[in-house]
Amino acid sequence: MKLTVRIWRQSGSGDRGRMVSYAVQDIRPEMSFLEMLDVLNQDLITNGEDPVAFDHDCREGICGACGVVINGRAHGPEQTTTCQLHMRAFRDGDVIDVEPWRATGFPVVKDLVVDRSALDRIVQAGGYITAPTGSAPEAHAIPVPKHDAELAFDNATCIGCGACVAACPNGSAMLFTSAKVTHLNVLPQGRPEREQRVLDMVAAMDDEGFGGCTNTGECVKSCPKELPFASIARLNREFLRASR
Amino acid sequence: MSVVQHHVGRPVSDTKAPDVALERRWDERRFTAKLVNPANRRRHRVIVVGTGLAGASAGATLAEQGYHVVQLCFQDSPRRAHSVAAQGGINAAKNYRNDGDSVHRLFYDTVKGGDFRSRESNVYRLAEISTQIIDQAVAQGVPFAREYGGLLDTRSFGGVQVQRTFYARGQTGQQLLLGAYQALSRQIDAGRVEMHARTEMLDLIVVDGRARGIIARNLVTGQITTHVADAVVLATGGYGNVFYLSTNAKGSNASAIWRAHRRGAYFANPCFTQIHPTCIPRSGVHQSKLTLMSESLRNDGRIWVPKVQGDTRSPDQIPMDERDYYLERMYPSFGNLVPRDIASRAAKNQCDAGFGVGPGGLGVYLDFGDAIQELGRPAIEARYGNLFDMYQRITAEDPYQVPMRIYPAIHYTMGGLWVDYDLQSTVPGLFVIGEANFSDHGANRLGASALMQGLADGYFVVPTTINDYIGSNTFDAVPAAHPTVQQTQRDGQARLERLLSIGGTRTVDSFHRELGLLLWDHCGMSRNESGLREALERVPELRADFWHSVRVPGEGAELNQELEKANRVADFLELAELMLVDALVREESCGGHFREEHQTAAGEALRDDARFSHVAVWEHGDRPVLHREELTFDHVRPTQRSYT
């Protein structure tokens, strides 16, 4: 395939940035989207140009490092991580726009790389169970109903890629935060801190400049791990319960 | 080249394991290890490099004990370290199934699975600690799979006949890592861990023979920073990416352990690499990495090839009696659950003999047809749903309808920096944990044991043993102006400037791919003397070529991903040579190290215990110096491994 990719280039936080058009050739359908960018970068380096910076690591859809907006959609046309999108999703001659996550909470570092450390700080505010390391009660001491364990897992599967924020018209981090609150609050081990957790995490989310949630649902449409939309309602319920 | 390019040095030994009964060693060591007064701990700084299972658990635990922890990861968040990608599970000798499991059995299975090339003391401790890991993870809210009664579910894994593997769907590594990451986050919030993400260690600072800090590069600004401490813990993972194509994350690298090796830490068993049998075959020359399909798939999937060479019929057109379920035929008692090294080699042999399927004949079938018929599709979906989705996404084939195609790929490195029972390297004050050390898996690691080892080292072992080191030593302040600190920093800076100034014609990736292919061909699933010697001539040439004609664009004082890669590949080009020398010197086959000259009539690995029942421990020098650590087996009698 021959393609035209228009990519956001920005040398750093001080640069205004612009879209730059590149022609790429010899793209095969079984290549991943990131392998297409690899091909482009190898060409750029060989021609003495600056390669496109983008985050990626595991390239198997679990580390959450990769993530760009492709033709206006976070992670592109299929609901998966950018690294798991393959070029068979495109056709010969296509023009593809590639941009970084755009949100107040995620400042651009360079090209397609953004700073998502705000998500780490939300977790630091209360996204954990205070279990001292090194000693713990016997694992079978507290049975967990299978349904609760499954619900916890469905939320714990979040990879922290930030697509939910990028997709949200308000730049809200509600899906991310609600998934962690739900994962921990539904488990008996997480109950003792349930009120403080939700209050602290929501406060941290607001401090980081993420927008408010208006239930547009764009987040779940872009979430590669299909986090439940209902978790946002659960967070609101937990928040109200804790605020009483 | 007719002689091996190395010298032989004096033997080394582990002096830290107490000389008491095997079952009492860890207890005894915990008693004899000095304690540090909690009030004094905050005056001691400890650097932890890496935030995978080992690093995150160590950082969280050391901080909780009261140490001032300085922690680094090259990723943009500690939650992304490659432990996150481990799928299948974590072993623990809980014996919840009442199926005859015990600490001793887990110990025995691990020593045997490692083909009798690991240390009894360490492995026993690992088995002992395994049960506490599950308790710890559950307390942190790790959502393991559960039965309807609310108790934990377990499954079986390769190389064992009990069900001791705990799991969280196909994302066990992710869930355990998030547990450790959250514990670490709690300490960051409490101000006890100073976390530096997007920061990569460039070198180790050794003052008066002891590890006293590191220099690191801020990957966003390019600034080179110095961090001084009383002890350094490396938790930087394995070096599988030396092969370019592996199941490791793209950023996984050997630079931290290799720089430490050059500063005096001995490197053990560098040629012990693990090839994982169930990976998705490569699809073309553009391939940038390989994806693993969890070994747990072998619980229900049956592996086969057509009985006729070059059979191009689609798999559903090949009747049962024209299929060769070769693992079930060759190893009737373990069947598809033989250890990884055996399953990988068997697949390679089938493909080499012309029975392979798919593009280039580099694949075998992993077929769930029978399991779906027997258990129903929902049961298979519940067990492996995400793995099937992943396979379909990558290959555009539906494994519920068509058998998966799998082929072996580089997955894990058993070799690593040499450590004693305390997990301390030959540089005092430098501790090495998780995959970065060599300690527990011998010549082959059993499935679901990497997570176990990383967490055992991080939550339980190093927090105990580091007390002994800190409590037994005094630490003068090392000022930033100290000549060694200054020199180490200048060395790191000079190396980056040199890489940037070469201005050649070839990309970093092109060198990395060439190196990887060379190693895969000559130091991969099977090795022989002439191949190893050929590669030993080629690697130094390639390295010279790299330093002459690599092209690293951009500058040092910015986010420069090509510079990061170049710096890592430069180290891989040195490490590769040591792997080859080690593979050449070990004239036997054991576990993942298969020397074609040394095999049984049935084509199985043939150990030579009389000559090679030792750890090969390498000291850096103009020519590497081989020290040997003899292995003694008092509790498990080394036998020819048999899984028939």
Side-chain angles (χ1 to χ4, degrees), chain A residues 42 57 60 120 134 138 180, chain B residues 96 136 181-182 251 289 507:
Chain A
Q42 295 298 299
D57 201 22
E60 51 187 89
D120 288 321
E138 155 62 36
K180 190 46 67 188
Chain B
Y96 285 158
Q136 177 78 53
Y181 157 77
Q182 287 164 199
K289 79 151 269 161
T507 63

Side-chain angles (χ1 to χ4, degrees), chain A residues 35 42 54-55 57-60 63 78 88 110 120 134 138-140 144 150 154 157 160 180 183, chain B residues 77 80 94 96 135-136 141 150 152 169 171 181-182 198 250-251 288-289 393-394 507 559 561:
Chain A
E35 284 167 350
Q42 295 298 299
F54 62 93
D55 267 327
D57 201 22
C58 80
R59 294 201 179 193
E60 51 187 89
C63 75
E78 296 176 1
R88 62 177 82 93
K110 183 179 181 182
D120 288 321
E138 155 62 36
H140 269 179
V144 179
E150 297 287 325
D154 288 341
T157 189
K180 190 46 67 188
H183 160 212
Chain B
S77 162
R80 309 205 196 283
K94 283 285 198 186
Y96 285 158
D135 298 342
Q136 177 78 53
L152 295 163
R169 286 187 213 163
Q171 293 160 238
Y181 157 77
Q182 287 164 199
R198 288 202 202 270
K250 292 295 287 177
S288 61
K289 79 151 269 161
R393 193 163 282 294
I394 292 172
T507 63
L559 178 72
Q561 295 174 323

Side-chain angles (χ1 to χ4, degrees), chain B residues 143-198:
Chain B
F144 285 119
R146 289 186 181 258
E147 309 268 16
Y148 282 100
L151 302 181
L152 295 163
D153 192 15
T154 54
R155 59 188 176 194
S156 45
F157 241 66
V160 298
Q161 290 176 310
V162 292
Q163 286 190 42
R164 64 159 74 100
T165 305
F166 296 79
Y167 67 100
R169 286 187 213 163
Q171 293 160 238
T172 317
Q174 181 202 25
Q175 293 308 315
L176 289 168
L177 182 67
L178 291 179
Y181 157 77
Q182 287 164 199
L184 182 66
S185 296
R186 180 174 151 241
Q187 300 300 333
I188 294 170
D189 191 44
R192 291 191 283 254
V193 173
E194 185 187 314
M195 183 71 221
H196 301 272
R198 288 202 202 270

Side-chain angles (χ1 to χ4, degrees), chain B residues 89-363:
Chain B
I90 177 166
N91 289 327
K94 283 285 198 186
N95 194 31
Y96 285 158
R97 295 269 173 188
N98 197 24
D99 57 1
D101 200 9
S102 63
V103 167
H104 201 90
R105 187 175 297 281
L106 175 52
F107 156 72
Y108 173 84
D109 286 344
T110 307
V111 172
K112 178 189 171 194
D115 215 356
F116 309 97
R117 290 294 175 263
S118 50
R119 233 188 242 153
E120 282 191 340
S121 305
N122 287 56
V123 177
Y124 192 87
R125 173 176 64 191
L126 178 65
E128 218 178 340
I129 290 174
S130 67
T131 59
Q132 292 170 264
I133 297 172
I134 302 302
D135 298 342
Q136 177 78 53
V138 166
Q140 290 170 341
V142 170
F144 285 119
R146 289 186 181 258
E147 309 268 16
Y148 282 100
L151 302 181
L152 295 163
D153 192 15
T154 54
R155 59 188 176 194
S156 45
F157 241 66
V160 298
Q161 290 176 310
V162 292
Q163 286 190 42
R164 64 159 74 100
T165 305
F166 296 79
Y167 67 100
R169 286 187 213 163
Q171 293 160 238
T172 317
Q174 181 202 25
Q175 293 308 315
L176 289 168
L177 182 67
L178 291 179
Y181 157 77
Q182 287 164 199
L184 182 66
S185 296
R186 180 174 151 241
Q187 300 300 333
I188 294 170
D189 191 44
R192 291 191 283 254
V193 173
E194 185 187 314
M195 183 71 221
H196 301 272
R198 288 202 202 270
T199 303
E200 183 151 74
M201 170 173 159
L202 294 180
D203 209 344
L204 182 72
I205 298 171
V206 181
V207 178
D208 299 332
R210 295 190 296 173
R212 291 305 305 272
I214 60 163
I215 60 163
R217 178 168 180 269
N218 177 322
L219 300 182
V220 175
T221 63
Q223 191 193 1
I224 293 179
T225 51
T226 301
H227 303 271
V228 174
D230 298 334
V232 177
V233 180
L234 297 186
T236 53
Y239 49 91
N241 266 350
V242 67
F243 289 88
Y244 187 74
L245 284 182
S246 82
T247 64
N248 288 4
K250 292 295 287 177
S252 301
N253 69 82
S255 287
I257 57 172
W258 189 254
R259 302 324 293 175
H261 174 59
R262 293 191 57 125
R263 296 282 177 196
Y266 292 1
F267 206 119
N269 297 333
C271 80
F272 285 175
T273 50
Q274 178 165 79
I275 318 268
H276 197 289
T278 53
C279 299
I280 300 177
R282 67 191 72 179
S283 67
V285 289
H286 57 270
Q287 193 90 28
S288 61
K289 79 151 269 161
L290 296 168
T291 302
L292 177 127
M293 294 276 100
S294 169
E295 167 167 346
S296 61
L297 291 168
R298 290 198 275 145
N299 270 308
D300 291 304
R302 298 180 67 195
I303 294 175
W304 62 276
V305 291
K307 278 186 179 168
V308 183
Q309 286 150 324
D311 190 336
T312 52
R313 286 177 293 173
S314 77
D316 59 332
Q317 295 300 310
I318 302 178
M320 223 36 184
D321 60 348
E322 293 178 37
R323 303 173 175 188
D324 180 11
Y325 293 87
Y326 57 89
L327 287 178
E328 297 170 29
R329 169 171 59 78
M330 292 158 65
Y331 307 100
S333 64
F334 280 73
N336 293 296
L337 288 176
V338 291
R340 292 176 172 176
D341 53 334
I342 291 177
S344 293
R345 210 148 46 233
K348 174 179 160 50
N349 291 341
Q350 294 295 330
C351 295
D352 288 352
F355 296 100
V357 297
L362 292 176

